[in-house]
């Protein structure tokens, strides 16, 4: 996942610098970003994404949000359509359909 945005403006520069230093030494650590490729939007990882750029990483691991839903037998787009949800604007409501264990594993639990 490169050239993605998170749509969030609150970035703590010191935190990003610390993460970037760690990435220079250890590479990417932790779960992949959760992304929406069709929107070039990362659902998670505002600070990690900025740190990866600062550290000069060419790529970062990512998983498509739609694939997470599919893995649980859920159709992301059908849920959004049926419930009148915007996949970008209603993130907490969209994510309530995934199991807590998946939310925690991918760092999505702080959004809900």
């Amino acid at each position: 996942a490169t050239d993605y945005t998170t749509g969030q403006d609150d970035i703590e520069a010191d935190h990003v610098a610390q993460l970037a230093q760690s990435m220079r030494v250890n590479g990417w650590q932790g779960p992949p970003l959760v992304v929406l490729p069709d929107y070039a939007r990362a659902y998670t990882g505002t600070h990690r994404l900025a740190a990866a750029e600062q550290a000069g990483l060419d790529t970062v691991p990512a998983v498509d949000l739609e694939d997470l839903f599919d893995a649980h037998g859920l159709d992301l787009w059908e849920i959004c359509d049926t419930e009148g949800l915007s996949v970008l604007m209603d993130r907490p409501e969209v994510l309530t359909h995934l199991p807590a264990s998946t939310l925690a594993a991918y760092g999505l639990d702080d959004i809900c």
Side-chain angles (χ1 to χ4, degrees):
T2 55
D3 299 323
Y4 277 71
T5 180
T6 62
Q8 297 177 359
D9 297 326
D10 298 333
I11 297 178
E12 298 172 23
D14 290 342
H15 184 55
V16 170
Q18 290 172 351
L19 287 171
Q21 179 57 32
S22 174
M23 287 180 184
R24 284 185 203 96
V25 174
N26 304 307
W28 185 271
Q29 301 292 307
L33 296 177
V34 176
V35 299
L36 291 164
D38 291 344
Y39 296 91
R41 180 70 61 97
Y43 241 53
T44 60
T46 299
H47 290 89
R48 292 180 295 148
L49 193 56
E53 182 178 324
Q54 194 174 100
L57 299 183
D58 291 329
T59 60
V60 298
V63 64
D64 189 326
L65 180 64
E66 185 175 5
D67 292 341
L68 287 180
F69 273 74
D70 286 345
H72 294 288
L74 301 169
D75 185 317
L76 170 63
W77 305 111
E78 182 179 308
I79 289 169
C80 288
D81 186 50
T82 300
E83 297 185 15
L85 299 173
S86 164
V87 73
L88 296 176
M89 302 301 294
D90 300 315
R91 294 182 332 149
E93 294 82 2
V94 169
L95 294 175
T96 61
H97 296 277
L98 292 173
S101 59
T102 298
L103 297 174
Y106 289 93
L108 293 163
D109 49 348
D110 65 338
I111 296 173
C112 295

